[in-house]
Amino acid sequence: MFTGLFQIYKRELASYFSQLTAYALIVVFLLLSLGFCFSFGHFMEVGDASLEYSFFRWLPWFFMFLVPAVGMRLWSDEYRTGTIELLGTMPVATIAIILGKFLAALSVWSVALVLTFPVWILVNYLGDPDNVLILSSYLGALLVCATFLAVTSLVSAFTRDQVVCLVVSVFFCAVMTLAGYEPVLRSVNSLLPEWAGEVLASATVDEHYRSAVRGHIRWHDLFWFLSMTAACLYGTSIVLNAKRS
Amino acid sequence: MIEVTHLTKEFGHKKAVNNISFTVEKGEVLGFLGPNGAGKSTTMRMITGFIPPSSGEIKVCGYSLLEEPEKAKSCIGYLPESAPLYPEMTVYGFLSFCANMRGLRGGQKKQAIEKVIETCFLQKVVYQGIDTLSKGYQHRTCLAQALIHDPEVLILDEPTDGLDPNQKHEVRKLIRQLGEEKSILFSTHILEEVEAACHRAVIVDLGDIVEDGTPEALREKSGDDSLQTLFRKVTTTEVA
C-alpha cells in the first residue's frame, strides 16, 4: 500500500529545495515570527520564559496564509503539467502519493520551525525556561501546520487554479484560527444560530494549540489534530479518484 | 497480452467509448486510428489504469486491471499524449525517480537508465534541466520513462506528435524494433505511420471500432489502395 511513498517524498522534498519555494517560505516565516516576537510580542519586556505570549501565540496567524501558499501547488501543479497521469499509471496507491507529498511539505515546515532556534537559545541564556514546555509548544505548532496543510491539500485536489486554491484555503485556515477568539465567537453567536457557533468553535485549532503551548497537550487534542489531518487527506484521495472517473 | 472486452466509458450522458473489444498479442504493434475526440486517449487511459471504465474488462499480461491494478500497471509502459515531465528535474534525476517508482534499485537501476538513454538518444542532455530541453528531447525523455522497466506492454499516445521528420523516423523505427518482443498499442493521426510501423490497425470513431485489419487489408477495402480514403469513408467529419 505504501510502495513508492518514500520515492515521492524524496522527489517532492528535492523539488522544494531546488526551487525558491522552500527558501522564500523559510525566510519570510523567520522574519515574521522572530520580528513579531521582538516587536508586538514584547519579548524583552514581558520576561516570559515559556515563549507562550511573545512567540508561540502568533504562529497560527502566520500559518493560516503561509501554509496554503506552499500547499497550493500540491495537486494543481500535477494537473497543470499532466504528471498526475504518470503518477496515476505507476504501480503505487493514490494514498501513498498523497502521503509522500504531504510529508515532504510538512518536512519543509519542520525545517522552518527548527530554524527559529535562536529564540530558544536566547530564552535559555536569559532565564530558566521549562524546555519540555517549549518542545510541547513546537509540537503543537507542527500539528497546526499539518492540519492546515491537509486542508490545503483537499482544496488543491478540487481545483487546477492555484489562486482559487490559495484564496479558499486561506479562508478555511483563517476561520479555523479566528474562530477560537472570544470577540469573533461573540459576534458570530449574535449573528448566527447557536448550533452554527458550536460547529465553528469545534473546528478551531486555537483551543487544542493553546493546551499544547501551556504544556498539557491532552490525548483528545492530539486526536483532534490527527483526525482532522487524516480526514482531509482521505478526502483528498476521494476527490482525486472521483476526478479521474 | 492486452485483452479489452466490452469496454465502455461514459462522461455524464456522453459515451466516450462504446462497448469496444480488441486484443494485442505479444510481438504485435496495433495502430489506433481515429479523428480527434474518437475516444482513443480515453481508451488508452483506461488500459493504463488512470481512469476506471464505466463497464467492461481489461486484462494486461493476464492480470485484471480492476482486480490487481498494481500488478497489471507494473507490466505497462505509458507515454501520455502531452508527454508530461517535472520541469525542475534533470533528465537523469527524472529517469532515476521513475526507475525507483518501478522498483528498480542499485546496479539494475543504473543499467536500466543507461539503456534507455541510449535507446532514446538522450546522451547529450543527461544532466540538463528538463525545462531547458527542446520539445523533441522532452518527448523522448518521456518515452524513456515508459521504457525504463522494460515493460511487456507499451501504450503510446501519439508518440511522434511534435517531432521533426528525422525524429519521427527514429521513433517509428524504435516502435518497429520494440514491437518484435512486446505488445504495443499506439495512437496516431498520421496514416503513413500505420503502414510504417503497425502489424494491425483499428479505426475508431465516436467511441466505436469501425475497422480492424492489417494495413494491407484496410487499403484493399478502401477501393483505391489508400488508407486515407478508407479513413474518410468510415469516420465522421466534423467541420467547425
Side-chain angles (χ1 to χ4, degrees):
Chain A
M1 186 180 175
F2 296 116
T3 326
L5 190 155
F6 181 61
Q7 311 304 335
I8 302 260
Y9 171 80
K10 255 189 356 189
R11 199 210 75 76
E12 285 287 315
L13 199 61
S15 159
Y16 279 115
F17 285 98
S18 67
Q19 297 175 92
L20 275 178
T21 327
Y23 305 103
L25 154 84
I26 290 170
V27 170
V28 170
F29 173 69
L30 291 179
L31 284 176
L32 282 174
S33 59
L34 299 179
F36 265 61
C37 178
F38 289 100
S39 56
F40 299 109
H42 304 291
F43 176 79
M44 299 308 279
E45 293 86 7
V46 292
D48 163 30
S50 72
L51 293 172
E52 178 196 341
Y53 177 78
S54 53
F55 179 68
F56 284 109
R57 76 164 176 149
W58 303 106
L59 296 187
W61 294 80
F62 308 135
F63 292 152
M64 76 184 191
F65 59 89
L66 285 178
V67 173
V70 177
M72 66 181 181
R73 57 178 283 278
L74 276 174
W75 299 105
S76 48
D77 254 12
E78 298 279 357
Y79 276 102
R80 189 176 49 81
T81 55
T83 40
I84 189 81
E85 210 167 334
L86 286 184
L87 294 181
T89 52
M90 283 177 176
V92 290
T94 310
I95 197 72
I97 302 173
I98 294 171
L99 281 176
K101 289 171 87 72
F102 169 78
L103 291 174
L106 194 60
S107 300
V108 176
W109 277 106
S110 310
V111 172
L113 281 171
V114 166
L115 288 177
T116 60
F117 72 91
V119 75
W120 184 42
I121 291 177
L122 189 63
V123 84
N124 269 281
Y125 175 73
L126 294 174
D128 183 22
D130 178 353
N131 284 319
V132 176
L133 178 67
I134 293 180
L135 272 179
S136 156
S137 307
Y138 269 117
L139 174 69
L142 194 64
L143 288 169
V144 174
C145 277
T147 310
F148 285 178
L149 206 52
V151 169
T152 310
S153 166
L154 180 57
V155 176
S156 173
F158 274 104
T159 175
R160 284 177 198 211
D161 192 319
Q162 299 204 359
V163 178
V164 172
C165 174
L166 178 68
V167 172
V168 176
S169 308
V170 168
F171 170 75
F172 282 122
C173 295
V175 167
M176 290 172 85
T177 307
L178 297 172
Y181 289 84
E182 265 310 312
V184 179
L185 267 182
R186 259 202 310 271
S187 47
V188 166
N189 281 333
S190 64
L191 291 169
L192 297 171
E194 201 181 322
W195 63 265
E198 279 170 21
V199 169
L200 208 59
S202 67
T204 174
V205 292
D206 192 62
E207 184 199 331
H208 310 285
Y209 176 60
R210 252 187 304 187
S211 66
V213 170
R214 285 182 186 147
H216 34 77
I217 187 157
R218 297 156 298 185
W219 283 110
H220 85 256
D221 297 316
L222 208 58
F223 179 75
W224 185 89
F225 279 121
L226 296 180
S227 54
M228 280 298 271
T229 306
C232 289
L233 293 180
Y234 182 62
T236 306
S237 104
I238 293 177
V239 174
L240 290 177
N241 286 331
K243 267 184 123 175
R244 284 196 212 161
S245 49
Chain B
M1 281 296 201
I2 308 175
E3 289 173 60
V4 173
T5 327
H6 303 302
L7 195 64
T8 298
K9 181 71 193 176
E10 289 162 7
F11 293 110
H13 294 297
K14 191 179 176 281
K15 256 192 186 162
V17 176
N18 186 18
N19 195 28
I20 66 169
S21 304
F22 62 87
T23 56
V24 188
E25 302 296 337
K26 188 181 162 102
E28 187 175 34
V29 181
L30 178 69
F32 218 45
L33 289 169
N36 287 329
K40 301 187 298 286
S41 291
T42 307
T43 306
M44 292 184 144
R45 284 174 168 177
M46 285 192 280
I47 298 172
T48 52
F50 183 60
I51 55 174
S54 303
S55 63
E57 172 78 23
I58 303 163
K59 270 192 172 179
V60 181
C61 302
Y63 300 113
S64 161
L65 199 77
L66 299 173
E67 282 156 27
E68 298 175 285
E70 280 165 32
K71 279 186 181 160
K73 283 177 181 181
S74 59
C75 54
I76 302 176
Y78 176 44
L79 171 69
E81 189 179 358
S82 55
L85 300 159
Y86 290 105
E88 74 278 8
M89 296 178 98
T90 62
V91 171
Y92 194 90
F94 175 72
L95 293 176
S96 168
F97 165 69
C98 294
N100 280 332
M101 291 291 281
R102 296 288 183 176
L104 299 171
R105 301 280 183 273
Q108 210 187 1
K109 178 176 114 178
K110 209 175 153 216
Q111 244 178 354
I113 296 175
E114 278 166 12
K115 193 175 165 200
V116 291
I117 284 174
E118 203 186 308
T119 314
C120 299
F121 312 103
L122 295 167
Q123 294 92 332
K124 277 188 192 161
V125 294
V126 178
Y127 298 106
Q128 212 169 307
I130 287 175
D131 54 353
T132 64
L133 299 181
S134 67
K135 196 173 176 193
Y137 271 121
Q138 289 191 352
H139 212 88
R140 277 183 278 160
T141 306
C142 199
L143 179 62
Q145 68 74 32
L147 300 173
I148 196 131
H149 53 301
D150 194 19
E152 292 176 67
V153 170
L154 272 176
I155 314 274
L156 311 171
D157 200 351
E158 301 194 12
T160 58
D161 187 38
L163 301 183
D164 69 34
N166 293 334
Q167 293 166 339
K168 275 184 183 165
H169 177 74
E170 290 300 333
V171 170
R172 281 177 207 159
K173 212 167 80 181
L174 182 64
I175 291 173
R176 255 203 321 268
Q177 187 191 326
L178 291 167
E180 286 167 18
E181 290 172 9
K182 303 180 189 299
S183 310
I184 303 183
L185 173 65
F186 86 93
S187 70
T188 180
H189 290 300
I190 308 161
L191 299 175
E192 72 235 39
E193 206 149 75
V194 177
E195 303 186 58
C198 297
H199 299 118
R200 193 157 68 87
V202 294
I203 304 178
V204 284
D205 185 46
L206 300 175
D208 282 310
I209 292 183
V210 286
E211 285 296 340
D212 183 348
T214 61
E216 297 77 32
L218 294 179
R219 258 203 327 262
E220 260 176 43
K221 251 189 182 176
S222 71
D224 67 351
D225 202 31
S226 150
L227 266 182
Q228 199 170 347
T229 312
L230 182 71
F231 186 87
R232 288 173 64 94
K233 247 191 234 173
V234 296
T235 58
T236 320
T237 317
E238 265 184 36
V239 182

